[in-house]
Amino acid sequence: MSKHTGFVKGKGLLVVLSGFSGAGKSTLTKKLLAEYDYAYSVSATTRKPREGEVDGKDYYFVDRETFEKLIAEDALLEYNEYVGNFYGTPKEPVLGNLENGKDVILEIDVNGARQIRKQYPEAVLIFVTAPSARELAERLSGRGTESVDVVIKRLTQSIKEKDDALSYDYLIINDDLEETAKHLNSLIQDQHMRLSQQGKYLDDFVKEMKDLLASLK
């Protein structure tokens, strides 16, 4: 185990990052990956790539038949259908990074987060929102990649997601990207001090005390 200030880091943390469409969670995730030491789980999806997106980096873009094969082979940690397309998290790279002590960020929707919570209760669930509903709508419209109908569908979906968002551990308001990224990184690192993460350290500590007492008798 490698030592860090204030805690001992063993197995990596599974961090679930979700949010209303347009809240800026993708931009926030990219900021975290660029400035801090996180592993990113690339999701698989059946939707078409947007301009500038790269297969294998932003998403694994696959057809519906391929995605259904991944489901049948139990090769996904979670999967869901959203606005007519499938999204899912490949299992192997996530579990590998966690075992190697790397914190992994999963950028997934609320349905996927619900599945992750059942499988990994120790996962940290963080929900991202814009400062206001009006700004959320403006961000969606400002993309220039979504039709009015799609924007309406995404806003309608956000209303439905509110109850799920209340089950998350933390809420982050993404107002200023730089400051939000700093706060989010600090929040994630603080999770390593939870007893669920430090139990092994306490076990070793008590064993050492017992050995010490035995040597003094």
Side-chain angles (χ1 to χ4, degrees), residues 48-85:
K48 300 297 182 183
R50 297 183 182 128
E51 185 177 353
E53 289 183 328
V54 178
D55 183 42
K57 180 181 178 183
D58 298 290
Y59 285 95
Y60 295 113
F61 295 101
V62 300
D63 57 28
R64 202 172 187 89
E65 182 180 353
T66 300
F67 198 99
E68 289 173 348
K69 184 178 179 182
L70 291 173
I71 295 173
E73 294 175 348
D74 193 29
L76 300 172
L77 280 174
E78 57 78 33
Y79 66 91
N80 284 288
E81 189 170 11
Y82 181 75
V83 195
N85 290 299

Side-chain angles (χ1 to χ4, degrees), residues 38-57:
Y38 293 105
Y40 177 64
S41 174
V42 179
S43 297
T45 183
T46 57
R47 79 158 170 79
K48 300 297 182 183
R50 297 183 182 128
E51 185 177 353
E53 289 183 328
V54 178
D55 183 42
K57 180 181 178 183

Side-chain angles (χ1 to χ4, degrees), residues 95-111:
L95 299 183
N97 276 307
L98 292 177
E99 287 299 323
N100 289 328
K102 291 281 287 186
D103 294 338
V104 180
I105 295 180
L106 297 184
E107 185 192 331
I108 55 179
D109 67 12
V110 294
N111 293 315

Side-chain angles (χ1 to χ4, degrees), residues 20-21 82 127 133 136 152-165:
F20 297 134
S21 182
Y82 181 75
F127 197 85
L136 188 71
I152 291 173
K153 284 182 180 179
R154 291 187 182 277
L155 292 175
T156 302
Q157 182 67 27
S158 294
I159 294 172
K160 296 177 182 178
E161 290 174 348
K162 190 267 290 185
D163 288 340
D164 286 297

Side-chain angles (χ1 to χ4, degrees), residues 2 4 6 10 36 39 50 67 75 77-78 81 84 90 93 99 113-114 116 136 146 149 178 190 206 209:
S2 60
H4 290 241
Y36 304 101
R50 297 183 182 128
F67 198 99
L77 280 174
E78 57 78 33
E81 189 170 11
E99 287 299 323
R114 194 184 306 119
I116 292 294
L136 188 71
E146 316 284 15
D149 286 344
E178 191 73 35
D190 285 347
V206 170
M209 282 197 294

Side-chain angles (χ1 to χ4, degrees), residues 139-157:
R139 289 180 185 180
L140 285 170
S141 300
R143 283 177 176 175
T145 59
E146 316 284 15
S147 66
V148 174
D149 286 344
V150 170
V151 170
I152 291 173
K153 284 182 180 179
R154 291 187 182 277
L155 292 175
T156 302
Q157 182 67 27

